[in-house]
Amino acid sequence: MPTRNLNLMDYSEITSSAPIALHSHGWRAKCLQRLVRLELPVPKTVALSFAAVRAIAAGSIPDLGTMVGRFDAGQLLSVRPSAENPDWGGPGAILNIGMNDARHAEIAALHGEAVATALYLGFVQSYAQHVARLDPDMFSEVEPSAAALRAALRDYESEMEDPFPQDPKRQLAEVLRSMARAWEGTSARLLRQARGAPAEAGLGLVVQAMAAGYGSETSGTGVIQFIDATTGTPQITGRYAARGQGRDEVSDNPRAIYLTRDKRGPSLEEQHPEAFAQLIRHGAICRERLREEMQIEFTVVDGALWVLDALKVQHSSRSAIRTAVSLANDGVITRKEALLRVSPLTLAELLHRQVDPRGKRDVLVRGIAASPGAATGRLVFTSQAAQASASRGESCILARRETSPEDIRGMHAASGVLTERGGMTSHAAVIGRGLGLPCIVGATGVRIDLKAKQMHTGRALLSEGDLVTIDGTTGELLKGTVDLLDAAQDESFTTLLEWADNLRDIDVRANADTPTDARIARGFNAGGIGLCRTEHMFFEDDRLTVMREMIFADTAQDRAAALARLLPMQRSDFIELFSIMQGLPVCIRLFDPPLHEFLPHTREGMGKLADALDLPLSEVTRRSEDLAEFNPMLGLRGVRLGVTVPEIYEMQARAIFEATIETADRGEKVVPEIMIPLVSAKREVELVKARIDAIAASVRVEKGTEFEYRLGVMVETPRAALRAAEIAQHSDFMSFGTNDLTQMTYGLSRDDAGKFMSYYVQAGVYPEDPFHVLDTDGVGELLLIAAERGRSVRKDLTLSICGEHGGSPESIAFCRNAGFDYVSCSAYRVPVARLAAAQLTIGDKDKAKAMPDLR
């Protein structure tokens, strides 16, 4: 194999002035240089660049004489990976390079035969498996002994037809070659790309002198960190193993001791108080100068401390927030940096209980993680069973093939929901996020047998009443009970979002359908309600019967009579909604769904309805069949109901206006926003607007009071987007319902696309699920066309999106760039949107240059 001499571009000894950079030598090399600059006791270290490692992988093994000459004669070495980002992984570290027969004898003379044999055997086993790529079973761990060492050396020679290499330079060359080629392998490439690494990501390697923690009883190795990685609270954690080497020795050694004084046994603080005190000082220095909470790997050699490595603490979501805020409050980082250090999507986890990551998981089912959070309960298969469970004070998990509006009460009663079908914008997903309910949809391999009250998972047969845990954050259903962490809306959480609100330049509203939803939205500091789906108010028992009477009415007069009974209920809802929002804008969508959704779908339900309406069962069944549609999502719904059954919208408009007056009488001025759904033609808007304006005039006369309101449209059809200039003539605002707009633009069912969408994404047909991440090319172009055409007619036209995309950082970025006024999302995604909007503002370079820091 060809060799060549190393030059200065190939490697650098890590000193305070060495030319080390992330993009050329990787994170570990850069971190070690920082530790050296902080004057921490780091063993002599040499860093190989990405270019050098690529050359080694290609077969150009360097002459290592110059490099080895940098270290003391006979010095054992370690090699560790140093990618640009630690999350990208890399080959495992190789320790004790240079162990051979001569070094075995020298170490045996100094520290005893047992120590030398354990070191040599461990190196032979590691080298055989990871460098020579021999069968791991031949070199599995055995109790160190002279006989075991002789057997390992014999087996190596037998397999390789060559004795175990004794030349340290050859050993080092082969280790470097093996690690370089492992990084370039297909499996490694795919794994790191899945972790977000670019295809061409490079690997650096760090060669470091081994600190002899295996010597006397006053030597050993350990790992220390200064916060709890799960909670972020200050806490010294870690372990120390006497006469040990490496992280594995600490984690796997039953003789490892605690670091601080502990009643359970001896501690590093007691055995090596000076080394322990130095570690505390080093931790404080790293926190201040590296501006991170660090985990330090260290070795004690005859009482003297060496720092081998330092890693950023791997935070949980709650730990990341607490640490970022703490560092900012202490002046270590700026508030802007603190905001940028927290992923917006992790905030959603903290609003709900979560499965403790430290516990074991017995996964029964996997599906789409549609709504975050975790809950434990007994499995039920109907809304009625869920309500019965709630009445007994028992937690339950509702499993359905798919949910419909009549399952709302069952979802309210359940602690979590799982559906066999559906995607990110299916009914269960949207309502689950709105309720803050853990939800899994599109569960893989699940078959629900309603008659038998059982669920087949492919792995297990679950029956009603079985205890399970739903993890809506990961999309997994777990067997039995597991440890859960409580929601973490603590002072750090609130502080971070206050900083975000001081920076963001786009408003964030919430989708809230009931007063309960509004209270949640207000608690999350939403800027108002961007979408109130009024139909969800009609599914309560006292209202559902009246609603059904209206549906079965034969004449407009009978419909109006039934709706008159609903009017005070609607008015009461709106009064409460306005009161909760305390003058903030409230956008109320008029009735949208097809009427058949309010009718029962079982024979038993039909029978109960016939009794309630005092009609023959045959008549109820016939009328229900008449209302059924082949494609209800494209049928008689939205504005089409408002045009053909105008009494519904008239009742709702009156309820809104009367609630507006009553709220104003209480001292809170309200300017309600009334939104017409599913428009596709200017004439539809004209017809509905004329009726609403007439109702407004009538209420003004009746009450002798003036009030204001704004009328707008929900753009959910491609035609509405294309004809926005015409529609805007009669609209104060346009809010884009991106769920339906995506569905109609693609010709995809948002409820059924989940069955095959993963295949489409894997095949590269779509870069992402368009119901999960806004399609800025196709759907986005329609939004831009509508925005431009609408504002060409009305410059003050308010623009927003109120579909489920409204809470995603990608969608918020699109809306900011397009000049939209606000985004609206599920109440539990409001904190996510607030942080994402602030990060986008910070990332806007032109604005960031002129933006002073908040402190």
Side-chain angles (χ1 to χ4, degrees):
M1 193 169 288
T3 64
R4 61 182 177 84
N5 290 325
L6 287 162
N7 58 50
L8 291 178
M9 295 300 294
D10 290 315
Y11 77 93
S12 300
E13 182 178 337
I14 294 181
T15 64
S16 60
S17 60
I20 300 296
L22 273 175
H23 65 270
S24 62
H25 289 77
W27 71 271
R28 179 169 265 123
K30 185 64 180 176
C31 182
L32 285 169
Q33 183 189 49
R34 288 170 175 162
L35 298 180
V36 170
R37 287 176 174 171
L38 295 177
E39 299 183 348
L40 269 61
V42 178
K44 186 171 289 186
T45 307
V46 168
L48 274 73
S49 68
F50 296 173
V53 175
R54 286 195 181 99
I56 292 170
S60 183
I61 301 296
D63 178 357
L64 296 172
T66 307
M67 181 195 293
V68 173
R70 297 268 181 156
F71 298 94
D72 295 339
Q75 174 68 60
L76 298 183
L77 304 174
S78 67
V79 178
R80 303 175 190 233
S82 181
E84 190 169 343
N85 186 320
D87 294 336
W88 297 349
I94 304 291
L95 309 182
N96 296 316
I97 300 162
M99 273 303 297
N100 52 24
D101 293 346
R103 286 296 290 141
H104 177 267
E106 292 171 5
I107 293 173
L110 288 171
H111 303 295
E113 183 77 22
V115 171
T117 297
L119 288 175
Y120 199 3
L121 176 60
F123 178 59
V124 171
Q125 291 169 332
S126 177
Y127 190 95
Q129 293 179 53
H130 304 297
V131 180
R133 307 294 177 186
L134 298 180
D135 185 354
D137 291 339
M138 293 183 61
F139 298 92
S140 58
E141 293 185 15
V142 295
E143 192 68 29
S145 66
L149 175 60
R150 287 194 299 272
L153 291 170
R154 183 178 63 249
D155 290 342
Y156 181 94
E157 182 172 357
S158 173
E159 288 294 311
M160 297 297 294
E161 298 182 355
D162 193 31
F164 187 80
Q166 297 293 304
D167 181 3
K169 290 193 291 294
R170 180 186 168 191
Q171 291 178 2
L172 179 58
E174 291 302 315
V175 168
L176 295 176
R177 178 192 65 83
S178 173
M179 293 177 75
R181 290 190 171 177
W183 178 260
E184 296 297 335
T186 301
S187 297
R189 280 176 175 269
L190 293 174
L191 182 59
R192 65 176 176 267
Q193 283 180 264
R195 293 171 174 170
E200 68 280 3
L203 176 72
L205 292 174
V206 167
V207 182
Q208 188 178 72
M210 294 287 298
Y214 50 77
S216 66
E217 286 294 336
T218 58
S219 301
T221 189
V223 174
I224 186 172
Q225 68 184 45
F226 306 92
I227 63 167
D228 185 295
T230 301
T231 65
T233 54
Q235 179 181 337
I236 294 174
T237 60
R239 301 277 275 173
Y240 170 80
R243 289 191 167 184
Q245 279 189 321
R247 290 174 175 270
D248 292 343
E249 186 75 16
V250 177
S251 59
D252 296 339
N253 191 337
R255 295 182 292 104
I257 63 175
Y258 295 95
L259 301 180
T260 56
R261 286 188 174 89
D262 193 287
K263 296 179 180 178
R264 290 171 288 182
S267 68
L268 178 69
E269 186 177 12
E270 294 169 315
Q271 294 186 358
H272 299 292
E274 180 54 34
F276 179 79
Q278 287 182 54
L279 283 170
I280 301 302
R281 290 196 294 272
H282 295 335
I285 290 170
C286 286
R287 182 180 189 270
E288 180 179 353
R289 300 289 297 278
L290 300 184
R291 307 181 337 134
E292 297 278 6
E293 289 287 357
M294 305 297 289
Q295 182 188 83
I296 297 174
E297 182 181 350
F298 65 92
T299 294
V300 178
V301 180
D302 295 328
L305 179 70
W306 291 91
V307 174
L308 307 183
D309 202 1
L311 303 172
K312 289 192 295 185
V313 171
Q314 296 297 303
H315 296 283
S316 69
S317 299
R318 63 191 66 205
S319 173
I321 292 176
R322 181 164 189 156
T323 299
V325 171
S326 175
L327 290 171
N329 283 335
D330 291 345
V332 177
I333 63 176
T334 67
R335 292 180 179 180
K336 291 180 195 173
E337 289 175 289
L339 288 166
L340 292 173
R341 287 191 178 191
V342 178
S343 168
L345 295 178
T346 64
L347 290 186
E349 299 177 16
L350 302 183
L351 306 178
H352 317 276
R353 301 180 78 193
Q354 297 289 326
V355 173
D356 191 330
R358 296 166 292 193
K360 293 183 178 180
R361 305 170 70 96
D362 188 353
V363 180
L364 298 171
V365 174
R366 286 186 173 88
I368 299 171
S371 180
T376 297
R378 299 199 177 276
L379 201 60
V380 297
F381 297 101
T382 66
S383 290
Q384 292 77 12
Q387 292 173 78
S389 181
S391 69
R392 297 191 299 270
E394 296 177 356
S395 178
C396 68
I397 306 301
L398 176 62
R400 302 283 287 159
R401 288 176 183 162
E402 58 189 338
T403 61
S404 65
E406 63 182 1
D407 287 311
I408 291 289
R409 285 171 290 170
M411 295 177 73
H412 273 284
S415 299
V417 176
L418 177 144
T419 65
E420 191 177 323
R421 305 167 185 162
M424 283 298 293
T425 56
S426 63
H427 179 270
V430 172
I431 301 304
R433 287 191 291 272
L435 297 176
L437 199 63
C439 180
I440 300 170
V441 298
T444 304
V446 164
R447 183 171 62 84
I448 293 174
D449 186 339
L450 288 175
K451 288 185 178 180
K453 295 184 179 180
Q454 291 179 329
M455 182 167 73
H456 301 261
T457 70
R459 222 201 105 189
L461 177 63
L462 301 174
S463 299
E464 188 159 271
D466 286 350
L467 207 56
V468 294
T469 298
I470 187 169
D471 187 343
T473 304
T474 63
E476 295 176 337
L477 187 73
L478 311 177
K479 182 178 181 180
T481 62
V482 298
D483 291 335
L484 300 178
L485 298 174
D486 288 332
Q489 299 169 54
D490 55 13
E491 184 178 354
S492 297
F493 179 93
T494 303
T495 298
L496 189 80
L497 288 176
E498 286 175 354
W499 295 346
D501 290 339
N502 289 333
L503 279 175
R504 59 184 172 89
D505 55 10
I506 187 170
D507 201 7
V508 178
R509 297 192 194 180
N511 299 341
D513 304 335
T514 65
T516 299
D517 298 338
R519 289 189 189 91
I520 295 169
R522 195 79 181 92
F524 291 144
N525 204 28
I529 294 176
L531 173 63
C532 174
R533 308 173 186 92
T534 52
E535 58 271 9
H536 291 164
M537 300 174 176
F538 294 123
F539 280 98
E540 296 299 326
D541 283 332
D542 57 337
R543 306 179 184 199
L544 187 57
T545 301
V546 181
M547 190 68 185
R548 287 169 171 173
E549 287 182 19
M550 187 276 295
I551 293 171
F552 276 79
D554 293 316
T555 66
Q557 185 177 1
D558 290 342
R559 281 195 295 271
L563 289 165
R565 294 164 60 195
L566 288 173
L567 173 63
M569 302 176 191
Q570 279 268 275
R571 183 175 58 234
S572 175
D573 288 332
F574 295 141
I575 289 171
E576 192 172 359
L577 212 58
F578 294 152
S579 177
I580 292 167
M581 299 313 293
Q582 298 178 332
L584 291 174
V586 176
C587 184
I588 299 169
R589 185 181 74 181
L590 297 174
F591 193 86
D592 180 50
L595 295 177
H596 77 87
E597 288 193 1
F598 290 87
L599 301 180
H601 302 293
T602 65
R603 185 170 182 82
E604 180 185 2
M606 292 287 187
K608 290 181 180 179
L609 179 57
D611 288 339
L613 299 180
D614 193 22
L615 291 172
L617 177 59
S618 58
E619 177 67 10
V620 171
T621 303
R622 183 187 65 78
R623 296 284 293 275
S624 297
E625 290 173 351
D626 289 343
L627 285 171
E629 297 176 306
F630 287 109
N631 194 337
M633 290 302 294
L634 300 178
L636 184 57
R637 54 167 289 215
V639 69
R640 298 156 199 166
L641 274 171
V643 171
T644 60
V645 191
E647 297 85 4
I648 299 175
Y649 282 9
E650 290 174 356
M651 180 276 289
Q652 291 192 300
R654 177 173 287 275
I656 292 169
F657 297 144
E658 291 179 355
T660 300
I661 293 171
E662 187 164 336
T663 305
D665 290 343
R666 298 178 180 180
E668 297 175 6
K669 183 179 178 181
V670 177
V671 180
E673 299 174 358
I674 301 174
M675 185 157 64
I676 308 170
L678 207 70
V679 301
S680 59
K682 178 181 73 169
R683 183 58 178 159
E684 290 173 322
V685 183
E686 289 175 339
L687 290 169
V688 174
K689 183 177 186 302
R691 289 184 176 274
I692 290 175
D693 288 345
I695 295 295
S698 176
V699 172
R700 287 187 179 114
V701 171
E702 292 170 14
K703 303 294 183 180
T705 304
E706 287 295 323
F707 56 85
E708 300 175 56
Y709 64 95
R710 303 179 74 221
L711 185 68
V713 297
M714 192 169 185
V715 178
E716 301 164 89
T717 67
R719 191 178 193 280
L722 296 173
R723 308 309 297 171
E726 296 177 354
I727 293 170
Q729 296 173 20
H730 306 289
S731 305
D732 295 311
F733 61 88
M734 283 185 172
S735 188
F736 295 88
T738 52
N739 299 352
D740 272 349
L741 186 57
T742 298
Q743 179 170 241
M744 295 189 188
T745 302
Y746 275 82
L748 283 173
S749 165
R750 70 190 200 190
D751 294 308
D752 299 318
K755 296 176 182 176
F756 61 85
M757 188 55 66
S758 61
Y759 300 104
Y760 259 53
V761 173
Q762 289 171 13
V765 179
Y766 305 142
E768 298 283 352
D769 181 344
F771 292 110
H772 191 197
V773 177
L774 180 67
D775 166 29
T776 55
D777 295 330
V779 178
E781 185 173 0
L782 284 172
L783 266 62
L784 293 176
I785 289 171
E788 180 184 2
R789 294 180 180 178
R791 281 188 169 163
S792 70
V793 175
R794 295 191 63 157
K795 291 184 179 180
D796 62 345
L797 185 71
T798 300
L799 298 174
S800 66
I801 65 172
C802 60
E804 283 302 301
H805 293 110
S808 76
E810 300 89 349
S811 304
I812 296 169
F814 177 88
C815 291
R816 284 184 72 250
N817 293 333
F820 281 30
D821 297 280
Y822 68 86
V823 297
S824 188
C825 55
S826 300
Y828 283 95
R829 300 197 80 187
V830 166
V832 176
R834 289 164 62 194
L835 178 58
Q839 291 181 346
L840 290 164
T841 305
I842 295 170
D844 189 324
K845 294 182 180 179
D846 293 335
K847 293 183 179 180
K849 288 178 182 177
M851 191 186 303
D853 187 55
L854 300 176
R855 272 202 312 276

